[in-house]
Amino acid sequence: NLKKMMNQRTFHDLTFTEKHKKSIFQKARQQVETYEDIQLAVMQLLVQAKNGFELTTLLRARGIIKFENNEGSLYTILHSLEHSGCLCSNWDDSGAKYYELNDKGRKVLKKVDNKQGKKNAVFKALLEGGGLIDER
């Protein structure tokens, strides 16, 4: 019913040609996220524990479609973040693996969020260097 109401009230004056629709879908598919952007999005989502399926769904909702037909690459990112010491994982009783930021991951995320202008460079340096820089 929501879609019907939106079409009747919000979008009733808008018309899209097939050419326009194709152009929009093509641009959405061409959207390129850097590896660091995706890592950051994953870390932001892992403030609370989530499994791979939940992460894929939430990343899609953010417009990150890289995992659409290749969910395995998400696990590469998760294992990389786990190896860098930023997150921990646990298995639940049903056999699902859940990932969550640990203290180091929260510190990295906080530092990256505080450095909006240099986000990717700082993030990459923190992950690769393994150390947290004290910037008072």
Side-chain angles (χ1 to χ4, degrees), residues 2 4 6 28 35 37 43 49 52 56 70 72-73 77 82 85-86 93 95 99 102-103 106 118 129-130:
L2 178 61
K4 184 178 177 182
M6 294 287 285
Y35 186 76
D37 289 338
M43 289 182 73
T56 302
N70 187 11
S73 60
I77 291 172
E82 193 171 15
C86 289
D93 294 336
Y99 300 88
N102 57 21
D103 289 339
R106 283 179 178 63
K118 299 184 255 176

Side-chain angles (χ1 to χ4, degrees), residues 29-119:
R29 285 189 191 106
Q30 289 176 346
Q31 182 180 359
V32 177
E33 301 88 10
T34 66
Y35 186 76
E36 289 81 15
D37 289 338
I38 296 171
Q39 281 182 314
L40 178 59
V42 167
M43 289 182 73
Q44 289 169 338
L45 292 169
L46 289 177
V47 172
Q48 296 177 334
K50 293 177 181 58
N51 63 32
F53 177 78
E54 291 169 326
L55 276 173
T56 302
T57 303
L58 292 168
L59 289 168
R60 246 185 241 132
R62 286 186 173 202
I64 299 173
I65 56 174
K66 179 179 178 129
F67 310 110
E68 198 70 28
N69 295 315
N70 187 11
E71 290 85 5
S73 60
L74 173 62
Y75 293 99
T76 302
I77 291 172
L78 290 170
H79 293 294
S80 168
L81 289 169
E82 193 171 15
H83 181 72
S84 71
C86 289
L87 38 111
C88 56
S89 61
N90 296 303
W91 295 91
D92 72 359
D93 294 336
S94 71
K97 190 172 186 179
Y98 282 81
Y99 300 88
E100 185 174 12
L101 287 182
N102 57 21
D103 289 339
K104 179 183 175 183
R106 283 179 178 63
K107 288 177 186 176
V108 169
L109 184 59
K110 184 177 180 181
K111 286 196 179 284
V112 171
D113 284 343
N114 288 337
K115 299 282 186 186
Q116 290 297 319
K118 299 184 255 176
K119 181 172 24 183

